[in-house]
Amino acid sequence: MSVTPNVTMTFSEEQGMLLDVARGFVRDQAPMDVIRAQLETETGFDPALWQSMVDMGWAGIALPDSVGGAGMGVGSAVPVFESLGGGLLGTPLLSTTLAGQLIWRAAGEAAASWLTRLCSGEVGALALLDHADWGAANCGVSLGSDGCLNGRKCFVADAGVADVFVVVANDNGETILAIVEASSLSSDALSHNVVIDLTKRSANVDFTGVAPVEILRGDRVASALRDTLLLGALLTASETTGAAALCLSGITDYLKTRKQFGKLIGSYQALKHPTVDIYVGMENARSFIYHGASVVDDDPLSEDAETACRMAKVAADEVMVFAGDRSVQFHGGFGFTWDCDSTLFIRRAQWAQQMFGGAIHHRKRLAALLLDS
Amino acid sequence: MSVTPNVTMTFSEEQGMLLDVARGFVRDQAPMDVIRAQLETETGFDPALWQSMVDMGWAGIALPDSVGGAGMGVGSAVPVFESLGGGLLGTPLLSTTLAGQLIWRAAGEAAASWLTRLCSGEVGALALLDHADWGAANCGVSLGSDGCLNGRKCFVADAGVADVFVVVANDNGETILAIVEASSLSSDALSHNVVIDLTKRSANVDFTGVAPVEILRGDRVASALRDTLLLGALLTASETTGAAALCLSGITDYLKTRKQFGKLIGSYQALKHPTVDIYVGMENARSFIYHGASVVDDDPLSEDAETACRMAKVAADEVMVFAGDRSVQFHGGFGFTWDCDSTLFIRRAQWAQQMFGGAIHHRKRLAALLLDS
Amino acid sequence: MSESKAALQAFKSEVAAWMAENVPSDPGFLLPLTFLEVGTEQQLDFLREWQHKLWQAGFLGMHWPTEYGGQGADSAYQFIVDKELGRHRAPIIFNTIGLNWVGPLLLDMGTEAEKSKYIKNILSAEEIWCQGFSEPDHGSDLGAVQTRAVKEGDEYVVNGSKIWTTLGNYADHMILLARTNTKTERKYDGLSFFLSPMKVAGVEAHPIRKVTGEYGFNQTFFTDARIPASCLMGEEGGGWTVAMKTLEYERGVTAGQASAYWGVAVQVDDMIDELSAIEQDGEPLLSDPIVRDDLVGFMMEAKALSLSARRMAIPALGTDYPMGLALSVKYRGTEYERRMKHYTASKQGAQSALYVGDDDAVSGGFWQRAYFSNFGATIGGGTTQVQANIVAEHVLGLPK
Amino acid sequence: MSESKAALQAFKSEVAAWMAENVPSDPGFLLPLTFLEVGTEQQLDFLREWQHKLWQAGFLGMHWPTEYGGQGADSAYQFIVDKELGRHRAPIIFNTIGLNWVGPLLLDMGTEAEKSKYIKNILSAEEIWCQGFSEPDHGSDLGAVQTRAVKEGDEYVVNGSKIWTTLGNYADHMILLARTNTKTERKYDGLSFFLSPMKVAGVEAHPIRKVTGEYGFNQTFFTDARIPASCLMGEEGGGWTVAMKTLEYERGVTAGQASAYWGVAVQVDDMIDELSAIEQDGEPLLSDPIVRDDLVGFMMEAKALSLSARRMAIPALGTDYPMGLALSVKYRGTEYERRMKHYTASKQGAQSALYVGDDDAVSGGFWQRAYFSNFGATIGGGTTQVQANIVAEHVLGLPK
């Protein structure tokens, strides 16, 4: 039942360097005007920027070197995603990383060819959901006797630019992972979503009639899927934490410079104290993601790791929703305009809080984990 | 399902006069030093004060004139209890009123002799609980074949001064109401509780071996019991709302006069804005109790009345807990002392929030009432 | 002038019947949620026609004098119309600044000439009004207004800039607060109030894009704009008083508004209806005890607001803080709506991340858009933080 | 001076073994929850004896120099002792003002004479310390201190009054902030810091009853009290700096405290244990999804606080706001405990309304008393509202 004992937090020099590099990269390569220029484009990111990230080895950051990855362990992705979030930089890195995790955890080195492709910059996408409910079983897509899939997946992140899809499907009651090449999709397979977060892209994808190139099945599939969803929660939380920190610094900057009724608005406690609460929430989320980074590894995730991933997601969601909302409010009239970055923050909050299950989803599971043992 | 349509709020000239009289009485007869003088006495109130209240007809305020009551309807008790709460005046009026309601609703004029006694100033008490759980069935006390009761009731409010007990008991599976005269209790039947609210008194009462003077049974018992518990919630809410208003005015007085760092502390938004929220909560509770007063009557309570009683209790509990807590905090060092009335308010909050079920109890039932129809 | 229940009931039936026939159906393009968000000519034309039609049918300005285009009835009739508009989910009545603030203000403080000239066209939507109070650097601090109006002969020459001018790019007139004297001892005494034309040289309204992605606001620039001296309302230097009176109408403290149906109303029942179709963990969302408890909280807030409105009519029940219920309406109502819209937008699973324009979005992204749009209400007309100060100071008597 | 894990582990076992033998059992009267609540001679004698025993066993002042009665070891050893005290639910170590503030202060800034004279007796509990900073009319505003100390020969004559002097009626010494000069330009420059005797003529401590019904605080009156001039610590007029340094110890920003075991610690696990025995609607309270969700919230807060403490040791993970985690500890921790204690006190059904002394009360009314008592932490040493200002201004750089 006890929750507090495990406060593992490891931090190597290597990870410290990675954090510095990642922050520096986002600061230099993706200032807000670069981000804004991509908001209403089709893909939402600049291919050259993506290539730079691939060149730095981030596409394989969470994978072992035997399959072309960086070999730093999956926890090393945490500071990278925190940094990306800290610039609201939308790229297909999250999808690609998680596709890599799912394949690696389900098939290991037997799937090295796929993993190598992902590490080298091909975009991977996870086709998980049959509908909006993250908590339901999502295996509506089935494998037919003709070797083709049948059915549609919803809200597939980065589907528009994906080279490889990992599709959670159902073969006579067995959950399988079908690997599909984007080139095998029909031209009208994708219908793009209008995503509230303009730095993100997703689509509904119809896999009907598509023949997967490979099917992963067996004992490890269920655990790989569960762990990938947990890692999705952790990495989304990391990205969200970075975004919350950026949002906080936007608020404090404004509170330090904007005057109303002859005083800097930051001197009003009605603005000042909630900003402190955003700060505290952001630091909590940061503590949870670093803790998560320290307790996840290539093995099936432990109960402590599961707890850490879920808590990270809850903490990050909650602070981001609060920070984004207060950012609009505290910027006053300007906050209500498109030109104020607050709009990007509430949109990010709205996107992040549902990805891989929201606070209510994870809190329910945490209650079972922590109170029913 | 719809919750908002019924916003009945009637207010007669008669009720207006009652409100004025009750407020005036409490202001004149029970200033805070009078209240404080009773905090650590055995009974917690001054018999002369009680007699004045009886003389004004308050003991029978909720009962029809045919049994010696004021005939103004049970809703008329709301402004009286609000006023009593507004002075933290602890008397056995709540117990007596509810004992009257239970008997009246279960037996009507057939029980006129008991009701007349209560209207004339004898103290009634409800013996409801077998243990701390307001939501459990509480019928552990049973009626034996010898015509005597067997078992103990807990937390019987005003047991120490009661003349008449109405005991919820169990006769071979049937819920009955046993009327017991205090004189028939053995000398060691009562063990007094140490109640956190020093204006209130209660005791555990052992009814073993006691022969009830009368047994009320039949169709109306269950509904009378349910309605009395709901009216208990409404009247406690009324009393609590009054206490919250007094607490609020204590806070605003302090905020207007106390200086810190060269400024009146009421000018700090960290104190000012939560005080506004107490105000809003208090007004909400007040709206709910007046609405409750307008929709309860002598008939079995309607769904709207049930909704009103439960909402009133939730609103009053929540604002009182918040107000009491903030009252201590906002009075700073002085708030932490016995001399500051804040201690009376958090104690009242702690007492009130459990009486007749707390917020969690009523919110759960409101969900069923409002969402499952 | 209270009306018999029967007469009101009959009127209600009449209005309902008319609306069943006449409320326009979905035009096939996005309509604004509130009058603050009229962003395209298409929307403007549609809403202008609709308001005109309502007025022609005799259902607008119910309690305004007939000589100025009103119906000369009790305000209870307007209340019924507004309620029926909501019940029929009608498009909004958009000329709000005219209907809710300028109209009542003119009827209260205007000259006969001003009333004759302006009021009927407000009702008929022939003339649109905007408001020029806020300025870029001062936000809520109206005392600091810098826009200059200098009298030259029978004209004032106006220079400066106003911000958040809702409908500014479409408006015919602006209620303008400008500084006619920079040397007064109290800064308030240098301000004057104008009923200023918008369609004159030197006035330009630049649309501002909103958090929702839509338009409706403008920044309005005055560059040596010349307006007739007769546009001055009241005395020169007496603008502060008129502006404060206008704010009372804006804040709903005073009655007299011709239609409060300026935005798509959302009720707690709508919220529950919407959420009842959603699943979580394969079960109805509404079977989750935590969600149920949250909804009880929202229902209680909604009920408390309704009860509070009812209670305001019984002065004996509000003696401790006489103006308290009225002065706290904006503080409570706008924040309640923000939380409620956010909640509904956030309990849709993956659909929470969809927006207006996605076919899969719950109710077309209504709740997400409504949440974003609601910041107009918690920021505009005095932010929530300022509202809390108002309640603290004016109701509870706490120090500034 | 970091120690090997093995040595620490061995020490931990040694301490644990000693405590298993020596921690006193329930004395049959109510013990104070914190050092702020020592209200009877009976409690005082008991706690003094217990602290003395712990010190004699070599388990107090682990990292203080041996020449002053300490153990000359690493502070990790004191941390272990404190943790074991909690694990064994030992009575508190009550001479807190001496152990946590005065001792570290003297070791840091005191003269050799001051160290020799005072420190050992702090550890042995032979001398009790209290603090004289706050005054009746100024609360948190130390700059406004009015108590006067006027030098006459080799004495200072003290007049005035201090409030909230914890242990004041039992204390031998007070750290006293008094005004030695009323004419300085900056009010801070007129303050001096004294290590002042309590048991002299003209000093009277009047116990103040608390919200819990217990005692522990005093108001201390100085009436022409004469104290030796040698009691002055540092320079005359330099009291503000010393007081601020003391506050750093009080706020836990600086290390060096001899025992932080000054109150009965409550963990989230205790809360869950307590609630697991309670029924609601005839079912275990812990089966209620809403309660479960609330508990998840508390567990997350507890975990976040622990993780935060851990993270402070890794500077690379706190670069954005370097002192932020440390400066926000009081703000977060004390409020978390208030909410958690209140929650546990309030989920006991009818037992929620019972208090200390009732046999039927849950854990003897522990949670109710702990909730009330916790206001000492959210008010004393700078209220929560002041703490929020500190974080806002010193961590986030927001304006005053």
Side-chain angles (χ1 to χ4, degrees), chain D residues 111-242:
Chain D
T111 63
E112 183 52 40
E114 287 164 346
K115 294 185 209 179
S116 306
K117 181 169 176 192
Y118 296 120
I119 293 181
K120 179 167 155 277
N121 290 338
I122 289 173
L123 289 169
S124 67
E126 276 164 82
E127 291 183 346
I128 298 168
W129 283 77
C130 68
Q131 182 190 36
F133 285 14
S134 291
E135 296 188 356
D137 292 332
H138 310 292
S140 306
D141 186 6
L142 289 188
V145 154
Q146 302 291 327
T147 295
R148 286 285 277 137
V150 178
K151 195 162 182 185
E152 288 188 10
D154 58 356
E155 289 181 328
Y156 280 92
V157 183
V158 186
N159 277 287
S161 169
K162 293 289 178 179
I163 200 157
W164 321 129
T165 33
T166 297
L167 289 166
N169 51 335
Y170 303 129
D172 300 281
H173 305 285
M174 170 188 272
I175 42 175
L176 169 67
L177 191 63
R179 189 164 297 282
T180 43
N181 188 339
T182 56
K183 302 196 175 114
T184 55
E185 202 172 310
R186 296 171 4 115
K187 60 184 180 175
Y188 310 104
D189 295 334
L191 298 173
S192 298
F193 195 96
F194 297 91
L195 306 170
S196 176
M198 288 293 283
K199 294 179 174 164
V200 296
V203 180
E204 274 185 39
H206 294 188
I208 295 171
R209 196 175 180 191
K210 299 193 191 194
V211 78
T212 54
E214 299 168 44
Y215 290 86
F217 283 153
N218 297 268
Q219 181 163 3
T220 304
F221 297 90
F222 294 87
T223 315
D224 290 331
R226 293 181 169 269
I227 62 173
S230 62
C231 291
L232 177 72
M233 184 173 171
E235 303 287 308
E236 199 180 279
W240 181 254
T241 315
V242 188

Side-chain angles (χ1 to χ4, degrees), chain C residues 95-317:
Chain C
N95 198 10
T96 303
I97 296 164
L99 293 165
N100 282 4
W101 313 336
V102 181
L105 180 73
L106 293 179
L107 288 170
D108 183 22
M109 307 176 71
T111 63
E112 183 52 40
E114 287 164 346
K115 295 184 206 178
S116 306
K117 181 169 175 194
Y118 296 120
I119 293 181
K120 177 166 156 279
N121 290 338
I122 288 173
L123 289 169
S124 67
E126 275 163 83
E127 291 183 346
I128 298 168
W129 283 76
C130 67
Q131 181 190 38
F133 284 14
S134 291
E135 297 187 356
D137 292 332
H138 309 291
S140 307
D141 185 6
L142 288 189
V145 154
Q146 302 291 327
T147 296
R148 287 285 277 134
V150 177
K151 193 161 184 187
E152 288 187 9
D154 58 356
E155 291 181 326
Y156 281 91
V157 183
V158 186
N159 278 287
S161 168
K162 293 289 179 180
I163 200 157
W164 321 130
T165 32
T166 298
L167 289 166
N169 51 336
Y170 303 129
D172 300 282
H173 306 285
M174 170 187 273
I175 42 174
L176 169 66
L177 190 63
R179 189 164 298 281
T180 42
N181 188 339
T182 56
K183 302 199 174 107
T184 53
E185 202 174 310
R186 296 170 5 114
K187 60 184 181 177
Y188 310 104
D189 295 334
L191 298 173
S192 299
F193 195 96
F194 298 91
L195 306 170
S196 176
M198 287 295 283
K199 293 179 175 163
V200 295
V203 180
E204 274 185 40
H206 293 187
I208 295 171
R209 196 175 180 191
K210 298 192 191 195
V211 78
T212 55
E214 299 167 46
Y215 290 86
F217 282 153
N218 297 267
Q219 181 164 3
T220 304
F221 297 91
F222 295 86
T223 315
D224 291 329
R226 291 178 170 272
I227 63 173
S230 62
C231 291
L232 179 71
M233 184 172 170
E235 304 287 306
E236 198 180 281
W240 181 253
T241 315
V242 189
M244 286 306 102
K245 189 76 196 168
T246 314
L247 288 186
E248 282 185 22
Y249 290 112
E250 182 170 345
R251 288 175 187 156
V253 176
T254 310
Q257 290 81 343
S259 171
Y261 189 69
W262 50 260
V264 175
V266 191
Q267 309 294 342
V268 71
D269 292 341
D270 301 323
M271 174 191 201
I272 294 169
D273 282 350
E274 195 75 276
L275 294 178
S276 67
I278 291 172
E279 294 210 336
Q280 176 189 273
D281 295 337
E283 304 282 335
L285 183 70
L286 292 195
S287 68
D288 182 318
I290 295 167
V291 173
R292 292 163 67 83
D293 191 62
D294 292 338
L295 291 178
V296 167
F298 284 111
M299 288 187 276
M300 282 189 57
E301 268 192 275
K303 183 133 190 165
L305 281 160
S306 307
L307 288 173
S308 166
R310 172 79 190 98
R311 226 178 99 205
M312 281 189 236
I314 309 174
L317 293 180

Side-chain angles (χ1 to χ4, degrees), chain A residues 112-198:
Chain A
S113 64
W114 293 110
L115 298 171
T116 309
R117 281 173 62 178
L118 295 177
C119 290
S120 71
E122 289 198 26
V123 171
L126 292 178
L128 296 166
L129 298 181
D130 290 336
H131 43 68
D133 181 1
W134 281 96
N138 280 294
C139 279
V141 172
S142 59
L143 185 67
S145 54
D146 60 351
C148 286
L149 295 170
N150 188 26
R152 193 183 89 130
K153 289 285 180 181
C154 295
F155 318 117
V156 180
D158 302 307
V161 294
D163 300 296
V164 177
F165 292 86
V166 188
V167 185
V168 180
N170 160 26
D171 182 12
N172 288 314
E174 179 192 2
T175 299
I176 58 166
L177 304 175
I179 300 187
V180 166
E181 301 248 28
S183 55
S184 66
L185 294 178
S186 72
S187 61
D188 59 353
L190 267 64
S191 54
H192 294 278
N193 298 133
V194 179
V195 183
I196 200 164
D197 182 339
L198 298 159

Side-chain angles (χ1 to χ4, degrees), chain A residues 33-47:
Chain A
D33 57 335
V34 168
I35 300 297
R36 280 191 170 262
Q38 294 291 339
L39 292 182
E40 292 173 274
T41 65
E42 193 185 326
T43 61
F45 70 98
D46 172 0

Side-chain angles (χ1 to χ4, degrees), chain B residues 1-11 16 19 23 245 248-249 251-252 255-256 263-267 269 271-273 275-277 279-280 282-284 286-288 290-291 304 307 310-312 314-315 318 359-360 362-364 366-368 370-372, chain C residues 267-269 272-273 276 286 289 291-312 314 316-326 328 331-332 336 384-393 395-400:
Chain B
M1 177 192 291
S2 196
V3 58
T4 38
N6 189 340
V7 291
T8 309
M9 200 175 289
T10 53
F11 194 73
L19 184 59
R23 287 189 175 197
L248 170 65
S249 96
I251 293 173
T252 56
L255 263 55
K256 286 179 208 178
K263 280 167 63 177
L264 289 170
I265 60 173
S267 64
Q269 290 176 331
L271 279 64
K272 189 174 190 168
H273 290 185
T275 304
V276 168
D277 293 331
Y279 165 71
V280 169
M282 183 278 291
E283 290 287 23
N284 281 351
R286 196 171 265 177
S287 294
F288 282 121
Y290 295 156
H291 172 56
D304 278 357
T307 301
R310 296 195 191 281
M311 284 191 176
V314 172
E318 290 178 347
I360 195 169
H362 292 289
R363 290 175 72 114
K364 192 168 158 184
L366 282 166
L370 300 170
L371 294 169
D372 298 337
Chain C
Q267 309 294 342
V268 71
D269 292 341
I272 294 169
D273 282 350
S276 67
L286 292 195
V291 173
R292 292 163 67 83
D293 191 62
D294 292 338
L295 291 178
V296 167
F298 284 111
M299 288 187 276
M300 282 189 57
E301 268 192 275
K303 183 133 190 165
L305 281 160
S306 307
L307 288 173
S308 166
R310 172 79 190 98
R311 226 178 99 205
M312 281 189 236
I314 309 174
L317 293 180
T319 48
D320 294 0
Y321 301 97
M323 285 299 288
L325 294 175
S328 52
Y331 175 65
R332 302 169 57 184
Y336 157 70
T384 296
Q385 290 69 34
V386 169
Q387 296 301 323
N389 283 344
I390 290 172
V391 180
E393 292 157 20
V395 178
L396 302 178
L398 295 180
K400 256 195 182 288

